[in-house]
Amino acid sequence: DAGITQSPRYKITETGRQVTLMCHQTWSHSYMFWYRQDLGHGLRLIYYSAAADITDKGEVPDGYVVSRSKTENFPLTLESATRSQTSVYFCASSESGPGAGSGNTIYFGEGSWLTVV
Amino acid sequence: AQSVTQPDIHITVSEGASLELRCNYSYGATPYLFWYVQSPGQGLQLLLKYFSGDTLVQGIKGFEAEFKRSQSSFNLRKPSVHWSDAAEYFCAVGVAGSARQLTFGSGTQLTVLP
């Protein structure tokens, strides 16, 4: 099925370890996003990408690294995981930016639950 | 910068009752406004969006929302709630011409009583 696939769906890791969350979309959408969801904060943007090889910081980028060598993939790496990065991570994509004149729709993956112990 | 406030953290309604979820935004110009729903263990699904035109917007699953510029609000409504509507609802605001992502409210958890 077409859509956004995130992996792993559930991950427990130790403080200081490197973790990579994978995101793959089959729509060839230009824009891709990574959010984290924490109780009381809603969703906060970590990084986004407007196209392959173009990425930019969101609201909470510290401690995260992204890359986008191919349009369909947008991995998120925690270089040295901390307990404060325990969260649910959502990848999303859209055909164009959310500020586009069409009020472009953003599609979300099912989330990756990450626990850092 | 834009911001979104959802004043109600948790709302409980009986099945068949009407529903209104509140959303207030702060932004200097006309915003793009969205309502998303998140079922347990799932990602977010778009219910409806407003970016111009008619201020009463119809969405999926029988939901509607009304943009009121004078009140900076975009409240979500449903005339008769079904048990399957139990979920968390997020309001979000986007900025015209901005590639940066939506700003989300902190969400309203809806419980539906039988």
Side-chain angles (χ1 to χ4, degrees):
Chain A
D1 287 335
I4 298 180
T5 305
Q6 293 184 231
S7 63
R9 294 291 313 280
Y10 305 93
K11 175 77 175 179
I12 300 174
T13 191
E14 294 177 340
T15 301
R17 290 194 178 268
Q18 182 179 82
V19 177
T20 296
L21 305 180
M22 304 301 294
C23 180
H24 176 79
Q25 54 106 351
T26 59
W27 291 306
S28 299
H29 284 168
S30 294
Y31 282 79
M32 294 188 75
F33 312 90
W34 274 106
Y35 288 88
R36 60 177 290 172
Q37 184 179 28
D38 304 291
L39 194 63
H41 289 281
L43 277 79
R44 293 180 291 175
L45 180 65
I46 304 171
Y47 271 96
Y48 72 100
S49 169
D53 297 322
I54 301 175
T55 63
D56 205 353
K57 295 178 181 179
E59 181 184 355
V60 288
D62 293 343
Y64 303 95
V65 175
V66 294
S67 62
R68 193 159 176 216
S69 58
K70 294 183 178 181
T71 300
E72 62 267 29
N73 296 326
F74 191 40
L76 175 73
T77 298
L78 289 65
E79 293 188 303
S80 179
T82 66
R83 289 179 182 167
S84 65
Q85 292 177 309
T86 293
S87 186
V88 183
Y89 291 86
F90 286 97
C91 181
S93 73
S94 64
E95 188 173 339
S96 57
S102 62
N104 191 48
T105 297
I106 298 161
Y107 297 92
F108 286 82
E110 293 188 325
S112 293
W113 273 252
L114 177 66
T115 300
V116 182
V117 297
Chain B
Q2 68 271 25
S3 66
V4 179
T5 301
Q6 294 181 246
D8 304 304
I9 297 173
H10 193 192
I11 284 183
T12 300
V13 299
S14 297
E15 190 169 18
S18 63
L19 173 69
E20 183 170 27
L21 302 182
R22 296 185 290 167
C23 172
N24 294 100
Y25 69 90
S26 174
Y27 179 58
T30 300
Y32 296 151
L33 295 161
F34 305 79
W35 273 100
Y36 282 85
V37 60
Q38 183 182 28
S39 298
Q42 301 296 314
L44 280 71
Q45 180 185 22
L46 180 68
L47 284 176
L48 46 80
K49 60 185 178 182
Y50 169 82
F51 53 94
S52 67
D54 192 345
T55 56
L56 184 62
V57 180
Q58 301 297 321
I60 63 171
K61 304 184 179 185
F63 285 93
E64 67 176 27
E66 187 171 12
F67 170 55
K68 293 187 177 180
R69 185 190 303 274
S70 62
Q71 299 177 18
S72 297
S73 69
F74 189 57
N75 295 347
L76 182 71
R77 301 192 294 249
K78 187 171 184 177
S80 178
V81 172
H82 188 263
W83 63 266
S84 60
D85 293 324
E88 189 153 21
Y89 292 80
F90 291 93
C91 182
V93 59
V95 175
S98 170
R100 291 174 67 89
Q101 218 356 262
L102 303 183
T103 298
F104 285 84
S106 55
T108 297
Q109 182 68 46
L110 174 65
T111 297
V112 180
L113 299 177

